[in-house]
Amino acid sequence: MKQRILFVCLGNICRSPAAEAMLRVVVEREGLADSVVIDSAGTYGGHSGELSDPRMRRAASARGIAMTHRARQVREEDFERFDMVVAMDDNNYEALFRLAPDREAQQKIFRFREFLRHHPDWSYIPDPYYEGHEGFELVLDLLEDGCETLVELIRNKI
Ligand code: 4NP
């Protein structure tokens, strides 16, 4: 069965669209693209319709990752449309928990940090919006780590 994964951050213009684009590259590399649906959304809707932050797109592009997502706000029906809803930090996690309509939906919510294998010092994906270039590079390093774990989970579930 297809695995459907939604990444969620605050604005949906930096971390979660980068996670979406990164996982897409990894599943394509592994020949699993037809087995996965990947999307992203934000808990805050203020950037809806916008392309991702140019700083995030530039940093991703330098690693061969194209980002074409348009921001949107997460909504209750996303808990029906996706199997896993992956929060970038604890604030996103708590906002998702409040939005989830029932216990079954709550059980679909994960923290991205659960998939980190090589970054024991990080318990969340830090918001790079007010950071310099290094903030965006760190986000991509963390996302690469977690996406390698996620692709193994996907392989085992399909
Ligand atoms: P993101 O970063 O949650 O990774 O997309 C942010 C983008 C925009 C804002 C905050 C964080 N903002 O406050 O507008």
Side-chain angles (χ1 to χ4, degrees):
M1 224 180 34
K2 265 196 187 193
Q3 281 300 304
R4 302 165 300 170
I5 302 180
L6 179 69
F7 293 107
V8 176
C9 60
L10 175 60
N12 193 214
I13 55 170
C14 296
R15 294 165 292 175
S16 63
E20 174 196 337
M22 172 92 62
L23 186 61
R24 196 163 280 133
V25 165
V26 174
V27 299
E28 273 170 21
R29 185 194 72 202
E30 300 293 319
L32 296 170
D34 292 342
S35 309
V36 200
V37 173
I38 310 167
D39 195 7
S40 65
T43 59
Y44 165 66
H47 292 282
S48 292
E50 294 178 18
L51 281 172
S52 300
D53 188 305
R55 298 167 296 172
M56 189 78 254
R57 281 190 280 142
R58 210 173 302 125
S61 169
R63 298 191 191 200
I65 298 163
M67 294 176 63
T68 56
H69 180 77
R70 294 269 175 184
R72 72 170 179 89
Q73 190 167 19
V74 66
R75 43 186 185 261
E76 193 180 314
E77 72 213 47
D78 284 319
F79 289 101
E80 287 163 34
R81 296 175 53 219
F82 293 92
D83 304 300
M84 298 176 77
V85 180
V86 183
M88 293 292 140
D89 64 30
D90 286 349
N91 287 332
N92 312 147
Y93 184 90
E94 282 155 25
L96 287 168
F97 211 82
R98 287 192 293 272
L99 181 67
D102 53 33
R103 179 136 188 83
E104 192 187 342
Q106 288 172 346
Q107 285 170 343
K108 293 182 173 182
I109 310 171
F110 298 82
R111 290 177 174 89
F112 194 89
R113 71 146 183 255
E114 296 172 46
F115 308 112
L116 295 178
R117 293 287 174 269
H118 305 294
H119 294 86
D121 295 340
W122 286 98
S123 59
Y124 61 98
I125 309 303
D127 185 348
Y129 194 66
Y130 297 105
E131 302 292 329
H133 181 67
E134 306 75 38
F136 291 88
E137 293 300 328
L138 172 62
V139 166
L140 290 170
D141 290 344
L142 295 170
L143 295 180
E144 264 178 13
D145 183 357
C147 285
E148 294 298 335
T149 311
L150 275 166
V151 80
E152 291 311 316
L153 286 179
I154 291 163
R155 199 196 302 285
N156 292 335
K157 278 191 182 171
I158 58 174

